[in-house]
Amino acid sequence: MRVAVVSGGEPGHVFPAIALCLRLIEAGDEPTLFTVGPWVDAAIEAGIPVPRLTGLPLDDAGGREDLGRWQHERAAAMATALVPWIAAVRPELVVCDVLAPGGGLAAELLGVPWVKLSPHPLYEPSRGLPPVGSGLAVGTGIAGRVRDSLLRAATGRSIRLGERQRARARLGLGLAAREPGPAARLIATLPALEVARPDWPGNARVVGPLLWEPTRDLLEPPPGDAPLVMISASTAVAGAAGVAEATLEALGGMGVRAVVCTFGVPPAGLPDWARAGLGRQDVLLRQASVLVGGGGHGVLAKALLAGVPMVVVPGGGDQWELANRAARQGSAVIVRPPRVDTLRAAVSRVLGGPGFAAAAARAACLDGVWDPVRVCRDAVTGAVA
């Protein structure tokens, strides 16, 4: 099966796309990844075909008065630019990351079935949930149901405006105003981070996290047998700043070891009980007692799969939503903003409460998840309900 995988360039989106490509290759299929940014070379080194794309509309959103309209117009322009690139690989299927809607439009223009990849829980609006991003659990009782209804009404105006803007962009491409939607949806998360909804799409499949380590390097923790605190700086643009420095200060005198895993410049002046640099997070998590980091889906999923509880310092985007889901599940404590005193108290609480580790171990369960390769193949044959 020839598959075109279209992804945004942020780590939280391109890493799952790379992981999916590697799963497809392992199954004997032929994926081609269409993305831009600093991870193209790493994907090629991993054995994935990645064309060096040119002619894409890569202008940013700076200074845009109507950001929603710009996003839909940009998706349409991206689709037009992608069509010849995707057509060249003659795909039987296009997989489109949620941040790259132009890939789905390009698939429609080419008459090829497409699948939407959500590298996190399903975030589409629901008639039974509070708006995604609020971090709220479903309201209970009359007051709770009224609260959720009011919140949905407030966000509903923006959603309807976005639908009209998307329809105009589609008409400009010669497509029908009404979007038919993908043949299937890959929800690449843990069941423990998903929530029940009355309008779950019939073609949505939870496939478990799609994780990829961008380095082979190993980061050696400080010697000793004291509890190891792993600190992971957020890769998202909207991630909270200064988490590593504040956490290191908070851990002073606690009798723990620490390792800061970062793509960027590691903190300077580390104490002898701390190390910092680039290293495989999955290997470090096997040794960690607690993770301190942003609320991005990738690091949350890695921690839970390893059965490691968390102190989450959420930034913007969907990090507040994810942090609250993990906290309700029992595996995380939320700290915002990242002050030294609150970080110290949160780490002490997690280390001293065995219930957090037990909840993280429960969250590692992948019972009932689908094989993403099977879902992709079913999308081609029309077997997805």
Side-chain angles (χ1 to χ4, degrees):
M1 180 174 63
R2 294 182 302 278
V3 185
V5 180
V6 185
S7 170
E10 284 197 10
H13 292 263
V14 71
F15 288 4
I18 291 172
L20 177 62
C21 287
L22 293 175
R23 295 276 289 271
L24 289 163
I25 291 172
E26 184 181 3
D29 296 313
E30 301 175 14
T32 301
L33 177 62
F34 295 87
T35 191
V36 294
W39 300 104
V40 168
D41 289 336
I44 293 172
E45 186 178 346
I48 302 168
V50 189
R52 303 284 183 174
L53 300 176
T54 58
L56 300 186
L58 298 176
D59 53 316
D60 60 36
R64 306 281 174 175
E65 290 185 7
D66 190 339
L67 181 58
R69 176 181 174 183
W70 172 80
Q71 288 175 328
H72 294 297
E73 291 177 347
R74 184 176 188 264
M78 188 70 72
T80 301
L82 282 172
V83 160
W85 290 98
I86 294 176
V89 303
R90 298 179 296 111
E92 298 160 78
L93 180 72
V94 174
V95 177
C96 172
D97 170 63
V98 294
L99 282 192
L105 293 171
E108 284 192 63
L109 291 170
L110 290 168
V112 177
W114 66 283
V115 168
K116 181 183 286 188
L117 170 59
S118 298
H120 45 55
L122 179 64
Y123 286 161
E124 295 183 14
S126 168
R127 67 174 185 271
L129 301 179
V132 169
S134 67
L136 295 171
V138 177
T140 58
I142 295 175
R145 290 193 293 271
V146 169
R147 179 205 68 182
D148 289 354
S149 295
L150 292 174
L151 290 172
R152 287 194 294 269
T155 58
R157 290 188 290 271
S158 295
I159 292 171
R160 290 189 293 274
L161 174 60
E163 290 171 346
R164 293 193 296 271
Q165 292 169 334
R166 183 163 58 249
R168 285 194 292 270
R170 291 177 56 82
L171 289 170
L173 291 172
L175 297 172
R178 186 177 179 83
E179 181 180 6
R185 292 170 170 86
L186 299 174
I187 313 301
T189 192
L190 288 156
L193 290 176
E194 196 48 271
V195 294
R197 57 172 69 205
D199 43 12
W200 181 266
N203 65 357
R205 303 286 187 267
V206 176
V207 298
L210 291 170
L211 303 173
W212 176 71
E213 291 289 337
T215 181
R216 298 189 183 94
D217 294 342
L218 300 178
L219 182 58
E220 191 68 28
D225 56 5
L228 179 64
V229 179
M230 177 176 159
I231 305 167
S232 175
S234 176
T235 60
V237 174
V243 174
E245 292 78 4
T247 304
L248 287 171
E249 185 177 350
L251 297 178
M254 288 185 64
V256 300
R257 298 174 296 150
V259 59
V260 181
C261 192
T262 178
F263 293 127
V265 178
L270 293 175
D272 58 5
W273 46 264
R275 300 287 186 272
L278 178 63
R280 288 185 63 107
Q281 291 184 332
D282 55 350
V283 173
L284 288 168
L285 282 165
R286 295 173 200 157
Q287 308 167 66
S289 298
V290 60
L291 169 75
V292 180
H297 181 266
V299 73
L300 284 179
K302 287 181 184 181
L304 291 177
L305 282 174
V308 177
M310 298 160 286
V311 172
V312 185
V313 187
D318 66 344
Q319 294 190 6
W320 178 249
E321 178 73 30
L322 288 167
N324 278 277
R325 292 191 183 192
R328 287 196 296 271
Q329 190 271 333
S331 57
V333 173
I334 299 174
V335 173
R336 193 165 80 166
R339 299 197 312 267
V340 171
D341 57 339
T342 52
L343 283 166
R344 184 182 183 92
V347 172
S348 296
R349 181 182 171 195
V350 173
L351 289 175
F356 292 101
R362 290 194 301 272
C365 177
L366 292 175
D367 288 350
V369 302
W370 290 69
D371 174 8
V373 175
R374 175 187 168 186
V375 177
C376 287
R377 291 176 175 171
D378 286 350
V380 172
T381 62
V384 179

